[in-house]
Amino acid sequence: MIAFIDDHRQAHGVEPICKVLPIAPSTYHDHVAKRIDPSRLSARARRDAALKDEVRRVFEANFRVYGVRKVWRQLRREGFDVARCTVARLMRVMGLEGIIRGKPLRTTVSDKAAPCPMPRRRTCCGSPTSPTSRPGRASSMSPLSSTPMREGSSAGG
């Protein structure tokens, strides 16, 4: 959206475009200010910008075959204190992916033309066969008294 506003701001202005798009004018101006002055970026964004160069360097130096784990370990060996999840996030953002050995396994191939199946059985809380609609659960109570029956005893005494 920011690029679209940049392209059309001379013809229409920022505020009219922002009224049509779901973006506040202050958000656009904040992005432009951060683009002009990188010191206004957050600490994470500044660190990510520096680490992206290092991640790309390690990835390229190793023939574009290293995955997240190996890139992370190489950066740690070189003295960069970086989390593995950070390397994974940066590689995903940059579109870097290591080589996968063998052919990827596809277990299911869905038919895009087939309609979405309906559920087989709908459960309803008010159904007389539903276990949740029964007032209590089965117990070993005597039908004549409220005391439990013991095995081997008779009701007569």
Side-chain angles (χ1 to χ4, degrees):
M1 273 194 266
I2 303 295
F4 179 82
I5 296 173
D6 285 341
D7 294 341
H8 297 91
R9 69 184 284 187
Q10 295 301 326
H12 304 288
V14 174
E15 283 77 16
I17 295 174
C18 289
K19 282 184 182 178
V20 175
L21 296 176
I23 185 172
S26 60
T27 303
Y28 170 76
H29 292 299
D30 186 50
H31 279 278
V32 170
K34 287 178 183 177
R35 194 175 4 176
I36 293 170
D37 184 15
S39 66
R40 295 186 63 175
L41 291 171
S42 66
R44 176 180 169 173
R46 285 193 303 265
R47 179 156 166 83
D48 284 354
L51 282 175
K52 280 182 180 181
D53 296 334
E54 298 301 324
V55 167
R56 186 170 302 279
R57 179 187 57 79
V58 169
F59 186 74
E60 296 290 337
N62 291 287
F63 307 105
R64 303 175 62 89
V65 298
Y66 273 12
V68 172
R69 184 176 55 95
K70 288 188 176 183
V71 170
W72 170 67
R73 287 193 174 195
Q74 181 62 36
L75 287 172
R76 298 282 300 202
R77 279 192 294 269
E78 293 176 4
F80 292 97
D81 186 28
V82 60
R84 185 179 181 280
C85 59
T86 301
V87 174
R89 179 175 49 82
L90 293 176
M91 286 183 70
R92 188 172 45 251
V93 166
M94 293 187 298
L96 304 179
E97 190 175 81
I99 296 297
I100 299 171
R101 291 185 188 156
K103 189 174 180 181
L105 180 66
R106 289 190 66 184
T107 58
T108 305
V109 179
S110 62
D111 183 13
K112 299 294 182 189
C116 184
M118 293 292 291
R120 289 187 199 180
R121 181 181 87 135
R122 290 178 42 181
T123 59
C124 180
C125 294
S127 171
T129 59
S130 173
T132 58
S133 67
R134 295 185 185 138
R137 62 177 192 211
S139 65
S140 60
M141 299 293 267
S142 168
L144 302 175
S145 69
S146 62
T147 58
M149 287 179 55
R150 285 189 273 182
E151 288 186 36
S153 67
S154 65

